[in-house]
Amino acid sequence: LTSQWRNRALLALKEDFPIDIIDDHSIKLTPLSTALQMFFKEITIHFSSTFNAVDKVVFREKTDDLITLEFENVVNNQTIPEKTFQIP
């Protein structure tokens, strides 16, 4: 079931972004939609060495400025209490 979900998500992603493989753990997405092109030239996603998490996402803006999100101490599949999603 998980691989089916990943395959569908990847196909949907390809509709909006050509996917270029940069290296063994990184891909580059180039937006096709005019709305996204107004803001971003490309988005680079760096995966962990075990491919179970994203280490870093770099957004290259139209002006060549960069927005970098780095993830540390990632905990996968942690239980999240239901009340977390309730509006107070």
Side-chain angles (χ1 to χ4, degrees):
L1 182 64
T2 302
S3 64
Q4 289 176 346
W5 178 86
R6 275 190 232 144
N7 289 339
R8 281 194 298 265
L10 186 59
L11 289 174
L13 188 64
K14 285 181 176 181
E15 291 177 11
D16 296 320
F17 300 91
I19 300 172
D20 296 314
I21 298 172
I22 296 174
D23 58 36
D24 289 344
H25 292 94
S26 305
I27 61 172
K28 179 177 75 172
L29 310 174
T30 306
L32 293 175
S33 79
T34 307
L36 283 174
Q37 288 175 355
M38 289 174 49
F39 300 101
F40 301 111
K41 282 186 179 179
E42 64 189 39
I43 301 165
T44 306
I45 303 173
H46 303 270
F47 297 95
S48 68
S49 60
T50 57
F51 293 101
N52 68 346
V54 172
D55 280 342
K56 180 168 57 170
V57 180
V58 180
F59 298 88
R60 180 175 297 279
E61 295 182 343
K62 187 176 177 179
T63 59
D64 281 329
D65 290 335
L66 299 175
I67 299 169
T68 302
L69 304 174
E70 292 189 60
F71 303 95
E72 297 177 353
N73 302 318
V74 174
V75 178
N76 290 327
N77 301 318
Q78 183 177 7
T79 303
I80 302 173
E82 189 65 35
K83 67 179 184 176
T84 303
F85 302 100
Q86 295 175 355
I87 299 173

